[in-house]
Amino acid sequence: SPGMAATAPQPLPQQWWFGIWAVHNELWTYSKGQGVVVAVLDTGVDADLPELSGAVLPGADFEGGGGDGRTDTDTNETNGHGTGISVLIASRGGNSGFLGMAPEAKLLPVVTQSAQAYAKGLRFAADRGAKVINMSQGLPGACPSELQEAVRYAIERDAVIVAAAGNDGLNGNPSHYPANCKGVLSVGAADVNARPWEKTERQPYVDIAAPGVNAATVARGGAFQQGISGTSIATALTSGVVALVRSKYPQMKNREVVQKIVASAKDIGPPGRDDMTGYGFIRPYRVFTGELRDMGNPVFEEYDAWAKNAPPPKKDGSDGEQAEEA
C-alpha cells in the first residue's frame, strides 16, 4: 500500500548506486540476501556497530591476533576498512540509516593481511559454508601458488570469490593478487555515469566494473565516511549483488552465477573487453530478468584451463607481506 511504501527503508542520498541499480524498488523484490553467508577477508569487523546488529557470525584471525574477527584491527587512516566494507554489503540500517546491498545476509569476518592469511582465510570461509567471499585488499605480484590452490579449494566448495582490481592505475599499475588469481571475479571501479575511475587498475585480469567513486560507508565506531573512492567499494557492492543472486537461486552453482553477472554488464569502454572495466559495468537487474549478453564464461574458462594442468595441492606458505587496502 502507499502507506507501507512511504515507511519502507530508503537509501541515503550518498548511496547513488541504489538509484542506478534500482536496488530497493526492484532488486529487493527478488531477494535481500537471506540464507547467504558472505565472508569478508579484511581487517575484521566492528560487530558492535548498530548497522550490523545480528549480521556478524564468529569468524577468525589469521594474523596472530587470536580473535574471532569481530573486532576491527585496522590501524590506518581508513578507521576500520573491514567494517566499512561489511556495511556496504549487509548493513541493516542502524543509527545512520545506511543500507547494505544484501541486508538479510550474514557476515563471516576473517582477519587477513598477508598471502598466507589469504590462503588460510579462503579455506576457513569455504569450510564454513560461505557462498560469497569478498577480498577488498591486494598485494602486488603474481598470484602465489599456495593462494591459487586455496582459490581452487574454495571454488570446488561452490564459493564465488570477488576481489578488488587495485587502485594504482596511475601509480605504476602493478598486477595485484588475489585479483589476478584464476577463478576470481575481479572488479574495477566506475562512477555514477558508468565512467571508469581514473585510478582503477588497468590489467588483463579485470572482469567487470561496479560503483566505486564518490561513495560512502560507516566505519568502526559509527564514523560516517563519504566522498570516498576505490575498487574495494566496487568489490563490496558486487559481493552484495552476488549474495542477492545466491539467495534467490540457491541451487545455482558458482560458475553460473559468475557467468550471469559478467553477461549482465554493459560495455562502457572501447568496444569489447578492456583492461579498466573488463566486460563492462554490471547491471544486476538483468541477472533476474534474464536480459543477458550472449557470451561464454571467461572467468571460469580461464580457471578451467589452469586447473587442467595444475599441480597437486600443496601446503599453505607465507611470504610475510602485508596487504594494502584497495
Side-chain angles (χ1 to χ4, degrees):
S1 70
M4 290 180 65
T7 59
Q10 297 293 310
L12 301 180
Q14 296 90 340
Q15 297 184 267
W16 54 262
W17 51 92
F18 271 75
I20 64 170
W21 275 354
V23 176
H24 54 301
N25 52 14
E26 292 187 359
L27 291 186
W28 283 355
T29 65
Y30 292 96
S31 164
K32 289 187 176 181
Q34 185 175 17
V36 176
V37 174
V38 181
V40 180
L41 275 57
D42 212 289
T43 62
V45 177
D46 180 358
D48 293 330
L49 201 68
E51 283 76 6
L52 299 177
S53 178
V56 187
L57 302 170
D61 184 340
F62 290 110
E63 294 296 345
D68 65 1
R70 292 187 289 185
T71 299
D72 199 319
T73 64
D74 185 12
T75 58
N76 296 321
E77 68 277 3
T78 42
N79 191 37
H81 190 266
T83 300
I85 293 306
S86 298
V87 166
L88 287 163
I89 296 170
S91 175
R92 273 69 168 141
N95 294 338
S96 66
F98 195 100
L99 296 166
M101 280 293 300
E104 294 180 2
K106 295 287 189 179
L107 297 166
L108 182 72
V110 188
V111 178
T112 54
Q113 295 284 279
S114 61
Q116 182 183 34
Y118 287 163
K120 291 179 179 178
L122 282 168
R123 294 174 184 271
F124 175 86
D127 285 342
R128 279 149 187 81
K131 294 302 181 184
V132 190
I133 301 176
N134 186 90
M135 303 183 74
S136 286
Q137 293 182 321
L139 289 161
C143 180
S145 60
E146 71 272 16
L147 181 56
Q148 182 64 69
E149 290 160 7
V151 167
R152 173 167 59 181
Y153 184 90
I155 285 175
E156 288 176 349
R157 284 150 184 81
D158 197 35
V160 172
I161 304 166
V162 190
N167 300 340
D168 296 321
L170 296 180
N171 186 28
N173 193 45
S175 178
H176 281 80
Y177 64 82
N180 59 15
C181 297
K182 308 303 183 187
V184 171
L185 182 64
S186 303
V187 188
D191 66 16
V192 67
N193 296 310
R195 294 175 301 202
W197 183 45
E198 62 179 2
K199 295 182 180 180
T200 200
E201 222 77 5
R202 298 145 168 82
Q203 288 288 340
Y205 58 71
V206 179
D207 298 309
I208 54 171
V213 181
N214 194 25
T217 191
V218 181
R220 182 177 54 211
F224 187 75
Q225 298 178 341
Q226 56 184 325
I228 54 176
S229 302
T231 59
S232 61
I233 296 166
T235 300
L237 296 177
T238 300
S239 288
V241 170
V242 176
L244 298 181
V245 176
R246 305 221 76 174
S247 176
K248 174 64 175 177
Y249 306 109
Q251 303 305 315
M252 187 181 292
K253 297 300 182 183
N254 54 357
R255 60 178 58 227
E256 185 177 357
V257 172
V258 169
Q259 192 276 334
K260 290 181 181 296
I261 294 286
V262 176
S264 79
K266 178 182 180 180
D267 193 353
I268 61 172
R273 196 208 153 273
D274 68 85
D275 285 351
M276 287 187 80
T277 63
Y279 293 90
F281 192 77
I282 60 174
R283 295 175 289 184
Y285 189 62
R286 290 178 174 249
V287 177
F288 296 100
T289 62
E291 301 171 80
L292 303 172
R293 293 159 64 181
D294 184 12
M295 61 183 297
N297 191 349
V299 175
F300 275 89
E301 288 165 8
E302 186 178 44
Y303 170 77
D304 290 340
W306 168 82
K308 183 178 180 180
N309 300 306
K314 301 175 183 178
K315 292 183 179 180
D316 292 339
S318 173
D319 62 7
E321 293 181 284
Q322 292 296 304
E324 68 177 49
E325 292 148 354

